Amino acid sequence: MTLLIVEDDHPLNQGIALSLNAECTYQAYTIAQAREYLTEDLDLILLDINLPDGSGLDLCQEIRTYSQVPILFLTANDMEVDIVTGLESGADDYITKPFSLMVLRARVHAVLRRKSSSPSLYTQGIFSFDFERMEFLADKTSVELSKTEQKLLRLLVSHPGQTMTRELLIDRIWSDGAEFVEENALSVTMKRLREKLPGIPVRTVYGIGYVWER
């Protein structure tokens, strides 16, 4: 694992690095320092929100314009609205301080498992999807998808032949639970995805969810 830790608390930064014991760890204490490592082939970014030279939320949104590298927020901002904002900015997980290093390791491994089980490249018939580069082709024509549409598509192609329930999709896509999502948000997202990628092999299982057919 190649890890980037962006945390201005030096002892905490060092403690995380020692605890995770990654094959390669880059340590940054400011956003400016973090940007020096963003060209590296990173497997995971641990990112504080309140940094001396700016907000980790802004950096996360910046990274999401060109990369889907897993990002896990570490922050003292523990209000419900803070957590929702962090996840909606593109983070894969959100841990509030103080936290135990054992819990951090478990959450890191969970994020990496989700990444390894989800293909970055997928082709079927006239469709070709590169989730890392965020490039999506339908009959060799480029299609622009929103971040939410990308998440839905990736979940479906990662589980071909498996019925994905509405509850599971909502939980995985919006991360913070169905209570923060409009009731028809998933249906609207699926409708837009089908309009942008006409002919995708998604079957609706009425009252249950959706299945990507092989």
Side-chain angles (χ1 to χ4, degrees):
M1 176 176 64
T2 300
L3 173 68
L4 170 61
I5 304 171
V6 189
E7 167 61 63
D8 64 328
D9 183 323
H10 286 240
L12 179 57
N13 196 317
Q14 294 290 340
I16 292 171
L18 290 171
S19 176
L20 295 179
N21 192 27
E23 292 177 322
C24 179
T25 300
Y26 300 106
Q27 291 172 261
Y29 305 93
T30 64
I31 289 176
Q33 291 176 350
R35 287 198 175 101
E36 297 177 9
Y37 300 112
L38 293 179
T39 56
E40 302 292 336
D41 187 16
L42 301 171
D43 294 306
L44 179 71
I45 298 175
L46 298 179
L47 179 59
D48 192 7
I49 290 181
N50 302 311
L51 292 160
D53 56 344
S55 169
L57 292 170
D58 295 334
L59 181 60
C60 180
Q61 292 174 336
E62 175 186 324
I63 293 169
R64 282 292 174 258
T65 63
Y66 60 83
S67 172
Q68 291 299 308
V69 59
I71 297 174
L72 196 159
F73 275 128
L74 306 174
T75 176
N77 300 353
D78 59 358
M79 298 293 290
E80 187 175 88
V81 66
D82 296 322
I83 298 172
V84 173
T85 300
L87 293 169
E88 289 183 343
S89 73
D92 296 271
D93 204 348
Y94 191 107
I95 298 181
T96 57
K97 301 174 183 176
F99 54 84
S100 76
L101 291 175
M102 182 179 297
V103 169
L104 175 62
R105 284 196 298 270
R107 300 282 278 271
V108 164
H109 292 156
V111 168
L112 292 175
R113 280 198 304 272
R114 289 199 296 269
K115 178 187 177 185
S116 65
S117 65
S118 181
S120 59
L121 294 171
Y122 183 88
T123 58
Q124 180 172 331
I126 64 171
F127 300 107
S128 178
F129 310 136
D130 186 333
F131 292 96
E132 291 300 320
R133 296 177 180 273
M134 293 184 285
E135 296 175 351
F136 306 92
L137 301 177
D139 201 15
K140 300 181 180 179
T141 300
S142 180
V143 178
E144 185 174 341
L145 301 180
S146 70
K147 292 176 183 176
T148 302
E149 291 159 358
Q150 291 177 38
K151 288 182 178 180
L152 175 56
L153 180 63
R154 190 164 191 170
L155 280 167
L156 291 169
V157 303
S158 300
H159 301 83
Q162 178 181 337
T163 299
M164 304 290 285
T165 66
R166 294 182 61 86
E167 293 78 9
L168 176 63
L169 290 170
I170 288 171
D171 182 64
R172 293 284 186 86
I173 293 169
W174 284 275
S175 300
D176 44 286
E179 60 187 318
F180 300 112
V181 183
E182 291 291 334
E183 186 177 349
N184 67 337
L186 180 59
S187 298
V188 171
T189 303
M190 177 59 75
K191 181 176 182 292
R192 290 175 178 167
L193 190 62
R194 283 171 162 157
E195 289 173 347
K196 293 181 178 182
L197 298 170
I200 53 172
V202 176
R203 176 169 56 87
T204 300
V205 182
Y206 290 99
I208 300 177
Y210 303 96
V211 57
W212 183 274
E213 298 189 318
R214 303 172 190 271

